[in-house]
Amino acid sequence: MDNNLELIKKRIEKLREQIEYHNYRYYVLDDPEISDAEYDKLFRELLELENKYPQFRSPTSPTQKIGGESLKEFKQRTHSVPMYSLDNVFSEQEWYDYIARIKRIIPDEEINFWVDPKLDGLAIEIIYQNGEFVAAATRGDGIVGEDVTQNVKTIKNVPLVLKGFSKDIKIPSYLEVRGEVVIAKEDFYKLNKKQLEQGLKTFANPRNAAAGSIRQLDPNITAQRPLKFFAYGIGLLRFEGEHIKISRQSELIEFFRNIGLSTVPLAKFIKNSDEVWEYFKFIESKIEQFPYEIDGVVAKVDLFEQQQRLGATARSPRWAIALKFKAEQGITKLIDIKVQVGRTGILTPVAELEPVEIGGVVVKRATLHNEDEIKAKDLRIGDYVVVQRAGNVIPEVVRPLKEKRDGSEKEFKFPSTCPVCGSSVVRLQGEVHYRCINVSCPARLKRGLIHFVSKAGLDIKGLGDRWIETFVDMGLIKDFADIFLLKKEQIVHLERMGNKLAENMLNAIEEAKKRATLDKLISGLGIRLVGEQTAKTVAKHFKNLDNLAKATKEELMSLKDIGEEVAHSIYSFFRNPDNLRLLKKFKEINLWPEEKEETQKETKSQIKGKTFVFTGKLDSFSRSEAKKIVEKYGGRVVSAVSKKVDYVVVGHEPGSKFKKAQELNLTILSEDEFKKLIQTNS
Ligand code: IVH
């Protein structure tokens, strides 16, 4: 390898090491050392080098954590050591019965425990060979799982290279780490909100979201999900030659932490069975505050040698047991199913329950997600149902008590019209949700207006959510255009308004109207699947709302980044008479931004008729090439700097012309800026 390549290889290795280290600081320790911008800089440099020198690419480079090609199906993968499940105990009595059982096998010896919260997620095994991530599989039936290597690779706190930079830490030649993939409760809410806004499927609970993110075939989707992996056990572990001694669960966890893996929060070493029970009660009292969903704690005999003596039954080891929180279930009557409407018009069925106390909280409502869920559970209005709040924050309707039916129960029919505005609702192919298609539906309207005035839309400062709700409730605003028709006398007398505020608000609205651009107006409309980027694309192509409204699906699909679904969504939006009336109103009130031919014309004139001087050496063209380009676009190149010169392009080691240009205060362009000027003209 020549010297230069050798240096590049070294640089790549250095960058990987640095990025790996900063990933660890950020995702495992939650204690970053550098800013996001500094991190991005390192990451970009690595990406560029790997693109330029593909011979140095590596499957364990941090750049490989961002996704990749979709799979057609998961392959199966047999575990080298079966992944057992756990036996449960549900009470103090059952816990001490368990202790008595293991004491019979190991009498006269102190038994210590390792305890950790039992995470409610998806069990995964990750395999590292010589410290490098090589594969990952789900638990499956315990013997054979699914090969989810590509997906697990994208999980942020899963290192692709184990940390071995301390001298005392030996990296095993072969390691099977077992643990749980989860989504934090808070991240789960955010994820569902995002899914709803994009018109995508929402998840019933964090566990479904975690499992669904791993057990789908596109790693790019997994990469975008806020997944975390927490290690709690091993399958096989092999060291080559001399190695550190791991003879207890507590040492194993310590070892995991040292090689850069995240372990279950609040896990700890406990001396005896009484303290385990105390620990269990303590964690139970903290369920709500715990960032992840948990359904109990797991107690493991700490010493491996004792574990071996205890052995396993066909299903589960005797050396570990799950202490489960009381299944916090209650039985109550499903009084009704109401349907709520969100901003994008999605209709969500909600169970109205006869109030019932479950685990100290009165539950009156539970989400039912969608029509399919209700059908799958065969829920009927009037049913007695089992409702659950198990370490989980969101109450769930588990199942109906069919044996309690008396024939008066009614099947739930999803409404064919919007419960708020009466417009028709549609359920698109492949979607689980129905949605109201009327953009001015009051329920949608409030949420829609909030979006319309946000930064993603016309950015009307001073028109806060509360005022929007008030104006809609008072009937002052019935659609987006009505914002611009508000009159001072209509609002000035409202509580907490007053002269000054009313004036400021109306001024801000008027200002926003003047400033409005077509892309922001389109993005503000909240058309399903149309975000700011797509709005820019269509604005640029169609130039005004009339043209866009007339566009065929084919025309829409001919644009960059617009697929069938997006095209269909835009097309149907403009087939709705209410939405067309809104456009007419926009025109009448003169909220009608048009996309100018600007980029073309304006930049043409940036070269056309202009005089250029070049000084210094350019990287990308010779002087004569540069001259030809300028002339091609109607400009002129001269050699002397004077007041008449419009642009001075400065390369490396410029001459006295540069100084003179500065003195004359002329416009100076770097080579990059000159290139941009050309690009916008070509
Ligand atoms: S230890 C021999 N520790 O519980 C099995 N399991 O019911 C050793 N789980 O499939 C498992 N949190 O998915 C262990 N801190 C924890 C756990 C945990 C969740 C799950 C795991 C396993 C299931 C068994």
Side-chain angles (χ1 to χ4, degrees), residues 332-337 351-353 379-383 385:
T332 189
K333 197 167 177 171
L334 176 61
I335 309 171
D336 201 358
I337 296 178
E352 304 260 320
L353 305 165
L379 292 176
R380 301 188 191 167
I381 296 168
D383 265 339
V385 291

Side-chain angles (χ1 to χ4, degrees), residues 82-88 115-124 139 178-180 231-233 249 264 295 297-298 300 315-317 319-320 322 324:
M83 286 180 82
Y84 284 115
S85 83
L86 288 172
D87 244 353
N88 300 314
V115 288
D116 37 23
K118 186 168 188 296
L119 298 166
D120 203 4
L122 181 71
I124 289 285
R139 190 177 96 95
R178 291 171 177 186
E180 202 84 354
Y232 52 61
Q249 179 73 19
V264 184
D295 53 1
V297 307
V298 183
K300 295 161 198 167
R315 249 190 91 246
S316 46
W319 50 264
K324 296 286 276 283

Side-chain angles (χ1 to χ4, degrees), residues 341 344-345 347 418 421 423-425 434-438 441 444:
V341 188
T344 47
L347 275 58
C418 170
C421 74
S423 284
S424 48
V425 300
Y434 280 92
R435 49 182 87 235
C436 168
I437 54 170
N438 171 15
C441 167
R444 290 188 63 174

Side-chain angles (χ1 to χ4, degrees), residues 585-632:
K585 240 168 129 179
F586 279 162
K587 209 176 218 171
E588 282 162 10
I589 63 172
N590 208 15
L591 174 59
W592 201 255
E594 306 232 2
E595 184 85 356
K596 294 173 220 84
E597 301 286 328
E598 44 83 27
T599 36
Q600 294 289 318
K601 274 187 195 146
E602 260 173 36
T603 45
K604 276 255 155 62
S605 64
Q606 280 180 333
I607 297 188
K608 196 168 177 190
K610 298 280 153 106
T611 306
F612 286 72
V613 165
F614 288 88
T615 174
K617 196 172 156 295
L618 300 178
D619 288 330
S620 316
F621 340 79
S622 69
R623 252 331 142 67
S624 66
E625 277 166 344
K627 184 161 186 260
K628 270 192 203 134
I629 293 168
V630 171
E631 285 167 354
K632 185 169 138 206

